[in-house]
PDB file of all heavy atoms in Angstrom:
ATOM      1  N   SER A  30       0.822  -1.203   0.000  1.00 72.00           N
ATOM      2  CA  SER A  30       0.000   0.000   0.000  1.00 72.00           C
ATOM      3  C   SER A  30       0.860   1.259   0.000  1.00 72.00           C
ATOM      4  O   SER A  30       0.407   2.314  -0.416  1.00 72.00           O
ATOM      5  CB  SER A  30      -0.950  -0.015   1.187  1.00 72.00           C
ATOM      6  OG  SER A  30      -0.223   0.052   2.401  1.00 72.00           O
ATOM      7  N   ALA A  78      -2.056  -4.031 -10.142  1.00 87.00           N
ATOM      8  CA  ALA A  78      -1.330  -5.292 -10.009  1.00 87.00           C
ATOM      9  C   ALA A  78      -0.732  -5.446  -8.619  1.00 87.00           C
ATOM     10  O   ALA A  78      -0.808  -6.523  -8.019  1.00 87.00           O
ATOM     11  CB  ALA A  78      -0.238  -5.373 -11.073  1.00 87.00           C
ATOM     12  N   VAL A  79      -0.157  -4.379  -8.098  1.00 86.00           N
ATOM     13  CA  VAL A  79       0.433  -4.438  -6.755  1.00 86.00           C
ATOM     14  C   VAL A  79      -0.650  -4.673  -5.711  1.00 86.00           C
ATOM     15  O   VAL A  79      -0.487  -5.482  -4.790  1.00 86.00           O
ATOM     16  CB  VAL A  79       1.232  -3.142  -6.463  1.00 86.00           C
ATOM     17  CG1 VAL A  79       1.585  -3.024  -4.999  1.00 86.00           C
ATOM     18  CG2 VAL A  79       2.478  -3.096  -7.311  1.00 86.00           C
ATOM     19  N   SER A  80      -1.770  -3.984  -5.858  1.00 85.00           N
ATOM     20  CA  SER A  80      -2.861  -4.141  -4.895  1.00 85.00           C
ATOM     21  C   SER A  80      -3.435  -5.548  -4.920  1.00 85.00           C
ATOM     22  O   SER A  80      -3.677  -6.152  -3.878  1.00 85.00           O
ATOM     23  CB  SER A  80      -3.986  -3.138  -5.194  1.00 85.00           C
ATOM     24  OG  SER A  80      -3.525  -1.831  -5.038  1.00 85.00           O
ATOM     25  N   ALA A  81      -3.665  -6.074  -6.109  1.00 84.00           N
ATOM     26  CA  ALA A  81      -4.248  -7.415  -6.226  1.00 84.00           C
ATOM     27  C   ALA A  81      -3.286  -8.485  -5.730  1.00 84.00           C
ATOM     28  O   ALA A  81      -3.694  -9.443  -5.064  1.00 84.00           O
ATOM     29  CB  ALA A  81      -4.640  -7.687  -7.669  1.00 84.00           C
ATOM     30  N   SER A  82      -1.998  -8.331  -6.028  1.00 85.00           N
ATOM     31  CA  SER A  82      -1.038  -9.364  -5.630  1.00 85.00           C
ATOM     32  C   SER A  82      -0.715  -9.327  -4.148  1.00 85.00           C
ATOM     33  O   SER A  82      -0.310 -10.338  -3.583  1.00 85.00           O
ATOM     34  CB  SER A  82       0.248  -9.225  -6.443  1.00 85.00           C
ATOM     35  OG  SER A  82       0.888  -8.005  -6.150  1.00 85.00           O
ATOM     36  N   SER A  83      -0.900  -8.177  -3.508  1.00 84.00           N
ATOM     37  CA  SER A  83      -0.581  -8.096  -2.084  1.00 84.00           C
ATOM     38  C   SER A  83      -1.772  -8.395  -1.190  1.00 84.00           C
ATOM     39  O   SER A  83      -1.645  -8.381   0.024  1.00 84.00           O
ATOM     40  CB  SER A  83      -0.022  -6.713  -1.749  1.00 84.00           C
ATOM     41  OG  SER A  83      -1.011  -5.735  -1.932  1.00 84.00           O
ATOM     42  N   GLY A  84      -2.917  -8.628  -1.780  1.00 81.00           N
ATOM     43  CA  GLY A  84      -4.085  -8.995  -0.996  1.00 81.00           C
ATOM     44  C   GLY A  84      -4.908  -7.814  -0.509  1.00 81.00           C
ATOM     45  O   GLY A  84      -5.789  -7.990   0.339  1.00 81.00           O
ATOM     46  N   LEU A  85      -4.651  -6.628  -1.009  1.00 76.00           N
ATOM     47  CA  LEU A  85      -5.458  -5.475  -0.618  1.00 76.00           C
ATOM     48  C   LEU A  85      -6.876  -5.621  -1.167  1.00 76.00           C
ATOM     49  O   LEU A  85      -7.107  -6.302  -2.161  1.00 76.00           O
ATOM     50  CB  LEU A  85      -4.837  -4.176  -1.137  1.00 76.00           C
ATOM     51  CG  LEU A  85      -3.532  -3.742  -0.487  1.00 76.00           C
ATOM     52  CD1 LEU A  85      -2.963  -2.522  -1.203  1.00 76.00           C
ATOM     53  CD2 LEU A  85      -3.755  -3.408   0.971  1.00 76.00           C
TER      54      LEU A  85
END
Side-chain angles (χ1 to χ4, degrees):
S30 65
V79 167
S80 297
S82 65
S83 66
L85 290 174

